[in-house]
Amino acid sequence: MLLNDEMSNAMRIETNLPEFTLETIEAVEKELGSRFPNELREAWRHDSKFEVGEWFFYPIKDERFFNKTWDDTIRANRDERGLPEHFITVATNGSGDELGFLTSDVETIYVWWHETDELERVADSIEVFVEVTRLESDVIETFCERVNESETVFGLSAEANDGWAYAPSVIEETDVLLFFSTRERALSCRVEEWDNYHVIELPLDLFIAAWLPNMSEDGLLCGLDWPSDLKGMEYDPETVLEAIEEAE
């Protein structure tokens, strides 16, 4: 599968290093004992070092630019790092977690969470991972811009002055509290069993100082600007907090 323009734009170039030839990529694959996902092979043939969201993809070592490529793909997969067996990492979030694939299925993408030593399947392919990451970034950036401007977060509740609308998470065994960047977006979700719900306003400073930290402690997730079908992106409260602060 060729790297399409939309995917290429989502994979932000980190340096202006030259691309790699197919022969160079195949040499790295031989060293690691596994073929890379097709989309990643194609990406390396366009750019040699890039990032997607919070994930920084390892480059292929280039002796001409050693200071920019020393932390390369082969080095990232050295045995002493303690990665799961048959797992090949291709990117890191800088916090010790790794993004990669299994040698038995090079297309499916997993995250290795280093603190729990667990592998989590996150996408059927690099292409899907890039698209989902781009959508997540678009939603959270727009949400943060709006709430920073209005200094207000909106929600829904069955009671006028108590409670908060939530939905079960589809990715974890927890609940997702729904937050909206405008009153209109909150009103659009007053459908079916929620048609009599009240719109609630929450000051942004309280949302930042109390709600997000408490949600993080309780293991709850944030649903930002979900549409009326009540299906949308789910975010860790700490991620939302960081994004709001960065958007200020």
Side-chain angles (χ1 to χ4, degrees):
M1 181 180 298
L2 294 179
L3 186 72
N4 57 47
D5 291 339
E6 185 174 355
M7 180 175 167
S8 181
N9 291 335
M11 301 178 82
R12 298 189 301 275
I13 301 172
E14 191 177 334
T15 70
N16 58 354
L17 298 176
E19 67 277 2
F20 291 102
T21 64
L22 180 59
E23 290 75 15
T24 300
I25 296 171
E26 289 176 341
V28 175
E29 291 176 330
K30 183 177 180 180
E31 179 76 17
L32 293 176
S34 176
R35 178 185 173 91
F36 289 115
N38 290 333
E39 294 96 337
L40 185 56
R41 294 172 112 237
E42 190 65 26
W44 269 325
R45 296 185 67 183
H46 287 76
D47 308 301
S48 58
K49 195 173 184 181
F50 41 84
E51 60 183 277
V52 177
E54 64 177 344
W55 297 97
F56 296 87
F57 281 71
Y58 294 108
I60 292 176
K61 182 180 290 185
D62 190 328
E63 295 295 344
R64 298 169 299 173
F65 305 97
F66 180 78
N67 62 324
K68 293 183 178 180
T69 63
W70 65 272
D71 192 15
D72 67 298
T73 306
I74 293 176
R75 183 178 184 277
N77 284 281
R78 63 189 187 278
D79 292 340
E80 59 267 26
R81 294 200 63 200
L83 297 173
E85 189 175 6
H86 307 304
F87 175 75
I88 302 292
T89 180
V90 296
T92 180
N93 62 3
S95 299
D97 305 317
E98 303 290 329
L99 182 79
F101 59 92
L102 299 176
T103 56
S104 59
D105 177 12
V106 301
E107 296 303 325
T108 304
I109 304 303
Y110 293 82
V111 169
W112 175 61
W113 304 108
H114 77 285
E115 290 187 352
T116 59
D117 192 23
E118 294 179 344
L119 279 176
E120 178 186 359
R121 176 174 174 162
V122 294
D124 291 336
S125 67
I126 284 283
E127 185 176 26
V128 172
F129 174 78
V130 170
E131 175 63 13
V132 170
T133 302
R134 183 186 66 80
L135 290 174
E136 288 179 342
S137 179
D138 289 347
V139 170
I140 197 169
E141 286 179 7
T142 301
F143 176 88
C144 292
E145 289 174 0
R146 288 172 174 163
V147 298
N148 272 322
E149 182 177 352
S150 67
E151 298 184 347
T152 305
V153 176
F154 298 87
L156 292 171
S157 176
E159 304 294 334
N161 298 305
D162 188 36
W164 203 273
Y166 65 91
S169 170
V170 298
I171 60 175
E172 297 184 23
E173 293 184 1
T174 188
D175 290 322
V176 182
L177 271 63
L178 304 189
F179 301 100
F180 304 92
S181 59
T182 66
R183 175 178 292 273
E184 291 72 22
R185 287 180 175 270
L187 287 170
S188 70
C189 286
R190 292 204 310 178
V191 295
E192 298 181 359
E193 67 267 27
W194 289 13
D195 60 354
N196 292 320
Y197 274 32
H198 303 270
V199 176
I200 302 176
E201 295 186 11
L202 177 66
L204 179 61
D205 55 357
L206 183 60
F207 181 61
I208 292 173
W211 278 66
L212 290 175
N214 289 340
M215 287 179 62
S216 182
E217 290 181 4
D218 294 338
L220 299 171
L221 298 175
C222 300
L224 306 182
D225 283 340
W226 280 17
S228 58
D229 62 2
L230 301 181
K231 297 178 181 178
M233 299 294 180
E234 302 178 13
Y235 301 87
D236 183 277
E238 294 181 358
T239 299
V240 177
L241 179 58
E242 292 175 1
I244 291 175
E245 293 175 344
E246 290 177 358
E248 289 180 345

